[in-house]
């Protein structure tokens, strides 16, 4: 593969005669076959040569992640000492990423130890309860366990166990999610999962009975997920697309187009039948406002939309 990447003989020889040339060639070939761009492959090959020079990968032993990090630190110090870099973050991350991906491809990366989260046994028991006793779907079980495990991990960082948790802990956790820009629906989902979890805990005598009942999520509004309505630019676009001067055809064509888009956006629309002494118009009812669109051939360029 190196022969097809490099045209200059000196560069080609450096890659062919460098450490672990065969292993590097196999990984580069794999990346090319996976669809990697030529420029990306060239950068990868250069970084692989650097990794092979800075790490001892002879033999068949597994390489630990700590060895990779140590080699990356040595490389960063070398670069700094010679004034080649100003910040070490990118160089270190790139070294670690390429080395990890390469050694994993070769089957030479030592497997990371599997660590279970805080109170993982409680989460497993809760999952079994939801699946076996309540018959909830695997998707629901997974989502609730994810929220519960996140809370228990946070609780462990506060040096508190699940059995000693109280409403102040739950409120602080939900407030933290709000500060992390979670929407009300997501926070309410987390609150519901915690409420179910602590109800399960209380039924087994592991926490107070009133804890679950006291967990409240943010208020959700009935039409919160619905859009406000079609944008004025969209209305202009639809009006401009009507190839007619008859007000009735413009109105009917626009209503038809808006109802087609309503299937996806769920925007409620109503029509107002024009009277004999009233200007023909289309009333676009959205939440929480209503737009009145004058029906005329040049309406696409007009900005005269008033509130009902």
């Amino acid at each position: 593969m190196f022969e097809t990447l490099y045209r200059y003989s000196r560069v080609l020889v450096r890659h062919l005669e460098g450490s672990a040339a065969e292993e590097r060639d196999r990984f580069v070939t794999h990346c090319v076959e996976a669809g990697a761009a030529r420029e990306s492959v060239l950068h990868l090959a250069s970084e692989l040569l650097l990794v092979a020079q800075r790490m001892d990968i002879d033999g068949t032993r597994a390489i630990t992640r700590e060895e990779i990090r140590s080699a990356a630190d040595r490389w960063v110090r070398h670069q700094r000492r010679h004034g080649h870099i100003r910040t070490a973050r990118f160089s270190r991350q790139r070294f670690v990423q390429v080395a990890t991906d390469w050694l994993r491809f070769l089957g030479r990366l030592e497997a990371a130890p599997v660590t279970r989260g805080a109170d993982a046994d409680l989460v497993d028991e809760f999952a079994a309860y939801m699946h076996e006793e309540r018959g909830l779907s695997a998707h629901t079980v997974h989502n609730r366990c994810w929220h519960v495990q996140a809370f228990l991990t946070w609780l462990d960082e506060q040096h508190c166990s699940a059995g000693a948790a109280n409403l102040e802990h739950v409120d602080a956790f939900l407030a933290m999610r709000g500060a992390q820009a979670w929407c009300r629906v997501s926070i309410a989902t987390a609150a519901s999962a915690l409420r179910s979890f602590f109800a399960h805990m209380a039924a087994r005598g592991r926490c107070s009975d009133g804890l679950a009942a006291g967990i409240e999520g943010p208020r959700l509004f009935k039409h919160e997920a619905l859009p406000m309505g079609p944008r004025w630019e969209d209305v202009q676009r639809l009006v401009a697309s009507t190839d007619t001067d008859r007000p009735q055809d413009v109105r009917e064509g626009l209503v038809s187009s808006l109802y087609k888009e309503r299937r996806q956006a769920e925007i409620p629309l109503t029509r107002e039948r024009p009277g004999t002494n009233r200007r023909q118009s289309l009333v676009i009812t959205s939440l929480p406002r209503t737009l009145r669109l004058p029906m005329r051939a040049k309406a696409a360029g007009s900005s005269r939309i008033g509130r009902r």
Side-chain angles (χ1 to χ4, degrees), residues 1 5 8 10 14 22 32 61 112 146 173 183 190 194 202 208 217 272 279-280 293 298 302:
M1 179 56 65
L5 288 176
Y8 298 103
R10 294 179 60 182
R14 187 162 63 246
E22 181 183 351
V32 170
R61 70 180 184 87
W146 186 88
F173 176 76
C183 67
L194 294 179
S208 62
E272 178 181 300
R279 183 175 60 181
Q280 292 177 325
L293 177 65
K298 297 182 180 180
S302 172

Side-chain angles (χ1 to χ4, degrees), residues 74-92:
R74 290 194 300 271
W75 165 242
V76 167
R77 287 195 297 270
H78 173 81
Q79 291 287 80
R80 277 180 169 171
R81 195 161 49 244
H82 290 80
H84 295 161
I85 60 173
R86 294 183 179 179
T87 59
R89 180 178 179 182
F90 175 78
S91 296
R92 188 180 190 279

Side-chain angles (χ1 to χ4, degrees), residues 169-180:
H169 289 116
V170 176
D171 290 342
F173 176 76
L174 297 179
M176 179 193 69
R177 290 308 197 195
Q180 293 172 346

Side-chain angles (χ1 to χ4, degrees), residues 163-201:
N166 53 39
L167 285 177
E168 286 74 16
H169 289 116
V170 176
D171 290 342
F173 176 76
L174 297 179
M176 179 193 69
R177 290 308 197 195
Q180 293 172 346
W182 279 35
C183 67
R184 287 196 299 272
V185 174
S186 297
I187 297 175
T189 301
S192 176
L194 294 179
R195 190 182 307 114
S196 177
F197 172 71
F198 282 110
H200 167 73
M201 292 273 289

Side-chain angles (χ1 to χ4, degrees), residues 18 46 158 166 207:
S46 298
Q158 314 307 311
N166 53 39
C207 69

Side-chain angles (χ1 to χ4, degrees), residues 2 49 93 101 107 112 117-118 158 178 210 214 246 249 273 277 297:
F2 293 136
L49 180 59
Q93 287 180 345
D101 293 344
Q158 314 307 311
R246 295 184 60 209
D249 293 339
R273 183 182 297 277
N277 297 324

